[in-house]
Amino acid sequence: MSWQARFADVPDVLKNEHRRGTVVPVLDLTIGGDEFVIIAGPCAVENEFQLMATAHRVRRAGARILRGGAFKPRSSPYSFQGLGREALQLLARARKETGLAIVTEVMAPEDVPLVAEYADILQIGSRSMENFALLEAAARSGRPMMLKRGLVATIEDLLRSAHFVLENGNENVILCERGIRTFDTTLRNTFDAAGIALLKQITHLPVIADPSHASGHRELVPELARIGLAAGADGLIVEVHPDPDNALSDGEQSLDFDAFDSMMSELAPWIELRHRQSARTKSSALRVMEAVG
Ligand code: PEP
Ligand code: MN
């Protein structure tokens, strides 16, 4: 069976001759275009120093977008739930100081207007991938959306949610592979690199890899980042914190500043290779088009 037939009920997200690759504009950059886009920042916005220091440092290392949760989906009511509006205001200040675009999660339909006022990209978390009321409200805000794959969502489930957003009038959807639950609980999740490769082959939507949530361990993040790039992702979202051991959430998987710098240096030749490869593919496509007239 062809992929077209397999995913016949989500036609809007599949590649076709008119839509080969969606390029999502975000401030002065694009996602899904030539640039391999690095999104970095803390799991949650905790305070002014933590966010500003991180923003400046990841920007210097080459990140283009700052991440940071203002509303956190926590499985325990006693865990840090996020600073809400105060975090959004800090994110806006960080954007002003650094020029980085902002991505942050929105968890409830009624929060969409507030979050959309501050964020350049609305993040839909794994636990919300099938919250269709939220997807609809976020789609209608007109902001680009990053849709994280659900913890137990198949590729088809992910595409169904993306299709739903497109059908609600928002074309600027970015998919995010962040690991899924499998029988193997050694790591926090199982990173589906083949899923990234498949998504890039069959959909026209940009795909971002999240090596932080996919592994749950900071020492594995640089390796998974490289694998995500090699699988064809359009960029990465990576958790970075000035003092990971004392982070209020996801410290075990967060890189400190030096580790983030090292990861970026190690990635540089791979990013360069990807760039040359895409220039080659483009110029051969151009030659074919010229030859056919
Ligand atoms: C996050 O990005 O911090 C987050 C909560 O991610 P996920 O929804 O993928 O678990
Ligand atoms: Mn996190």
Side-chain angles (χ1 to χ4, degrees):
M1 198 179 7
S2 72
W3 294 116
Q4 302 294 329
R6 173 81 173 72
F7 295 116
D9 57 344
V10 290
D12 294 5
V13 302
L14 300 182
K15 268 187 187 152
N16 59 46
E17 72 256 38
H18 308 295
R19 272 211 277 204
R20 302 217 51 80
T22 290
V23 175
V24 176
V26 183
L27 297 185
D28 63 334
L29 69 135
T30 53
I31 302 180
D34 289 336
E35 188 178 350
F36 188 71
V37 176
I38 309 290
I39 305 168
C43 178
V45 177
E46 297 172 7
N47 56 59
E48 182 181 344
F49 165 78
Q50 173 239 22
L51 188 70
M52 296 305 159
T54 309
H56 284 282
R57 192 63 189 259
V58 299
R59 155 109 219 186
R60 209 173 334 135
R64 301 296 307 273
I65 302 178
L66 178 66
R67 62 149 293 145
F71 296 95
K72 294 305 298 176
R74 304 306 296 278
S75 38
S76 161
Y78 309 112
S79 301
F80 179 58
Q81 309 288 319
L83 296 179
R85 183 190 290 270
E86 186 188 340
L88 296 171
Q89 287 166 345
L90 287 171
L91 287 164
R93 236 189 79 199
R95 172 177 50 212
K96 195 150 177 242
E97 281 186 20
T98 62
L100 292 167
I102 301 299
V103 59
T104 193
E105 177 165 354
V106 57
M107 284 172 53
E110 60 273 21
D111 292 339
V112 168
L114 173 69
V115 179
E117 190 186 321
Y118 292 94
D120 301 296
I121 304 172
L122 298 180
Q123 175 171 324
I124 304 295
S126 280
R127 289 153 197 82
S128 302
M129 191 202 82
E130 290 185 320
N131 180 342
F132 292 99
L134 174 64
L135 293 179
E136 183 175 346
R140 299 207 181 275
S141 77
R143 288 278 185 220
M145 290 166 65
M146 184 172 74
L147 189 56
K148 297 192 91 176
R149 181 176 178 183
L151 279 75
V152 290
T154 62
I155 293 283
E156 189 166 4
D157 297 331
L158 174 63
L159 293 181
R160 235 188 264 283
S161 291
H163 185 261
F164 181 87
V165 174
L166 263 59
E167 282 291 308
N168 274 282
N170 194 333
E171 306 261 300
N172 291 321
V173 179
I174 302 150
L175 304 174
C176 178
E177 161 57 32
R178 46 79 74 207
I180 47 172
R181 289 245 165 100
T182 66
F183 62 87
D184 192 344
T185 52
T186 315
L187 299 176
R188 183 174 182 183
N189 288 297
T190 298
F191 185 42
D192 188 6
I196 295 177
L198 177 63
L199 288 170
K200 286 307 297 176
Q201 283 190 19
I202 63 175
T203 85
H204 55 79
L205 299 171
V207 179
I208 296 288
D210 177 345
S212 308
H213 293 86
S215 63
H217 292 271
R218 66 180 79 123
E219 63 276 17
L220 289 171
V221 168
E223 297 273 23
L224 293 202
R226 185 147 39 84
I227 292 166
L229 184 153
D234 297 285
L236 302 172
I237 180 163
V238 180
E239 287 185 338
V240 180
H241 192 283
D243 181 11
D245 290 336
N246 289 303
L248 297 183
S249 64
D250 286 351
E252 340 56 79
Q253 68 193 34
S254 298
L255 300 179
D256 66 17
F257 294 164
D258 288 345
F260 183 68
D261 285 349
S262 306
M263 185 195 82
M264 292 296 281
S265 318
E266 283 162 25
L267 274 178
W270 299 94
I271 293 176
E272 171 60 25
L273 192 63
R274 175 189 181 276
H275 204 68
R276 266 189 276 152
Q277 190 71 39
S278 81
R280 230 189 341 258
T281 319
K282 234 183 252 158
S283 72
S284 65
L286 210 62
R287 274 201 300 278
V288 173
M289 264 151 54
E290 281 165 3
V292 217

